[in-house]
Amino acid sequence: MFKFTSSVFVASAFLFSNFAQAGLSDCPKNLAFQLTNVFQIGTIKFQYGNCEVDDDGHGYAAGIANFCTGTGDAWEVIQEYHNYTGGNDVFTQYDKVLAQRAEDESGSTSGLSGYCDAWQSAVTSQKFWSAQGAIFDKLYFTPSQTFADNLGLKLSVSQAALYDTAISRGASNSTGSLGGIIKSTNAAFTANTSGDSNSTLKINGYSVDEIKWLSKFLTIRAKYEDDGAKSVNVLSFQYIISKKEYVWTHDIQVLNNEGKPGNLTCDNSYLPYPDQKINSLATCGDGCEGIDGYSSSHSSASTKSSGLFALSAAALGVFAASILF
Ligand SMILES: *[C@@H]1O[C@H](CO)[C@@H](O)[C@H](O)[C@H]1NC(C)=O
Ligand SMILES: *[C@@H]1O[C@H](CO)[C@@H](O)[C@H](O)[C@H]1NC(C)=O
Ligand SMILES: *[C@@H]1O[C@H](CO)[C@@H](O)[C@H](O)[C@H]1NC(C)=O
Ligand SMILES: *[C@@H]1O[C@H](CO)[C@@H](O)[C@H](O)[C@H]1NC(C)=O
Ligand SMILES: *[C@@H]1O[C@H](CO)[C@@H](O)[C@H](O)[C@H]1NC(C)=O
């Protein structure tokens, strides 16, 4: 069971910026982040300070994407942080071991005694938040939206589904990862396929309705999920489609991790600042049990293998624009 320790919050002035490329931005991006956070960690907010032994044997999993010592993405975050600190910080003592674990893709925690204490102490630094955000963007969010742009996706729901898949399954082209699922989805279209979304993609030379494409994508993704067609991610996106919530403007109706309807709103935010309006009930309506108890299981994304989960990728320009000292 994935349990969170309390995060240390840092009051700060992150700057919101518009994300230059197409793909998710602003309110729809906020909603996408909240939604995926619910699937991954049972709360709409990113957890910068969480650190614990990974359920799936990938070493320590920590931070907003459950960056793992055994998959290499944690080492990327720490190298990025070293860039901001001049290389002398609480993680320096672990550099040799972390580089080796990343190289070997080893989940061994030997030589990493005190790593989670270090992680939790670093989280008081905005530089560390920026480092997490930069790697989150680089490995997960940006690649997911590049795939979306290349497909010509225009609807928030499909852009968000690609982001969520990158987080859960990695953003590589391998089978079961985002790019592999897209490839299988495209291969399934062998004729023009109309629909009601008013957005038409060009797939294999055919005209394919964007929501018809997304529905197929979700069906194919389900094949790789432990829970198959009952995967909460797949069910919730199918629910959003059933409500015809294609373009997100302010609120969306979703399913929580218990399969109960609830709403997400852009009045809330995925960023865990103390002065932000966060309604912890926002995601679950009447079905809140479990939402704050982190009932969802988690696994970790790998930068090398087609990974299991990887929390988000997101970052939008938000992180990129955030403060480097
Ligand atoms: C850190 O800085 C080096 C040198 O400027 C750069 O090549 C690298 O991409 C930066 N980021 C990481 C994660 O190493
Ligand atoms: C996936 O494959 C496409 C071409 O088939 C390529 O353009 C893209 O860069 C690849 N993406 C990744 C993440 O490897
Ligand atoms: C598609 O366009 C038609 C005609 O403009 C409109 O009635 C319909 O509501 C649109 N559908 C969506 C999902 O936006
Ligand atoms: C598919 O749709 C395109 C227009 O989007 C059209 O030009 C083409 O003739 C259609 N093909 C078939 C087989 O209907
Ligand atoms: C979600 O919002 C819709 C539309 O505003 C509303 O009808 C519904 O009752 C809300 N659901 C929950 C669980 O709060």
Side-chain angles (χ1 to χ4, degrees):
M1 174 58 83
F2 191 41
K3 283 201 310 223
F4 273 77
T5 53
S6 62
S7 302
V8 178
F9 295 146
V10 185
S12 70
F14 267 54
L15 300 173
F16 279 80
S17 73
N18 290 328
F19 199 54
Q21 71 182 102
L24 288 166
S25 64
D26 301 325
C27 175
K29 182 152 68 177
N30 181 352
L31 293 172
F33 284 4
Q34 291 183 47
L35 181 60
T36 293
N37 285 350
V38 168
F39 297 147
Q40 295 296 350
I41 52 181
T43 170
I44 61 177
K45 297 178 277 185
F46 284 128
Q47 302 291 316
Y48 285 85
N50 178 67
C51 181
E52 51 182 52
V53 174
D54 180 57
D55 292 345
D56 297 322
H58 298 301
Y60 288 113
I64 59 171
N66 279 329
F67 301 110
C68 287
T69 57
T71 62
D73 54 359
W75 176 227
E76 290 209 39
V77 170
I78 286 160
Q79 289 176 89
E80 184 77 15
Y81 184 51
H82 285 338
N83 276 10
Y84 306 159
T85 63
N88 186 17
D89 56 59
V90 291
F91 294 111
T92 309
Q93 59 180 314
Y94 302 115
D95 282 358
K96 276 208 178 86
V97 177
L98 288 172
Q100 195 62 51
R101 296 288 182 273
E103 174 69 25
D104 300 344
E105 297 195 49
S106 161
S108 165
T109 56
S110 99
L112 294 173
S113 167
Y115 176 84
C116 279
D117 293 337
W119 191 280
Q120 281 155 2
S121 72
V123 90
T124 56
S125 161
Q126 290 176 355
K127 295 171 186 171
F128 193 48
W129 288 42
S130 295
Q132 291 192 40
I135 301 305
F136 174 84
D137 265 349
K138 175 184 155 191
L139 297 182
Y140 306 116
F141 181 73
T142 301
S144 78
Q145 298 308 293
T146 299
F147 276 118
D149 291 348
N150 290 342
L151 284 160
L153 302 185
K154 294 189 179 55
L155 307 174
S156 321
V157 62
S158 33
Q159 293 164 339
L162 264 53
Y163 160 68
D164 182 68
T165 303
I167 291 301
S168 286
R169 312 208 49 83
S172 79
N173 276 322
S174 57
T175 306
S177 189
L178 176 60
I181 296 170
I182 288 171
K183 205 172 154 197
S184 303
T185 303
N186 290 347
F189 288 97
T190 55
N192 283 352
T193 308
S194 61
D196 72 355
S197 76
N198 294 338
S199 173
T200 304
L201 312 177
K202 269 288 171 228
I203 305 290
N204 305 328
Y206 299 109
S207 299
V208 175
D209 177 75
E210 184 169 332
I211 292 296
K212 286 283 167 59
W213 184 92
L214 176 61
S215 298
K216 176 61 72 180
F217 173 87
L218 292 170
T219 306
I220 291 173
R221 173 176 169 178
K223 293 182 189 167
Y224 299 102
E225 300 290 340
D226 289 345
D227 296 335
K230 292 193 172 129
S231 146
V232 293
N233 314 56
V234 169
L235 287 176
S236 197
F237 275 105
Q238 288 171 337
Y239 181 82
I240 293 165
I241 290 170
S242 76
K243 296 283 180 187
K244 297 199 186 297
E245 301 173 311
Y246 302 158
V247 175
W248 298 352
T249 52
H250 191 264
D251 300 291
I252 50 171
Q253 300 177 66
V254 304
L255 297 182
N256 71 9
N257 294 345
E258 281 72 51
K260 295 186 179 142
N263 292 319
L264 291 178
T265 174
C266 280
D267 291 339
N268 290 330
S269 166
Y270 53 88
L271 288 173
Y273 300 119
D275 58 349
Q276 280 176 326
K277 247 194 323 180
I278 297 289
N279 170 10
S280 65
L281 303 186
T283 56
C284 51
D286 292 336
C288 273
E289 295 83 355
I291 279 284
D292 290 324
Y294 309 112
S295 59
S296 67
S297 67
H298 98 291
S299 49
S300 333
S302 165
T303 60
K304 292 185 178 169
S305 60
S306 72
L308 325 166
F309 142 101
L311 181 56
S312 62
L316 0 281
V318 169
F319 292 111
S322 67
I323 359 135
L324 309 186
F325 293 97

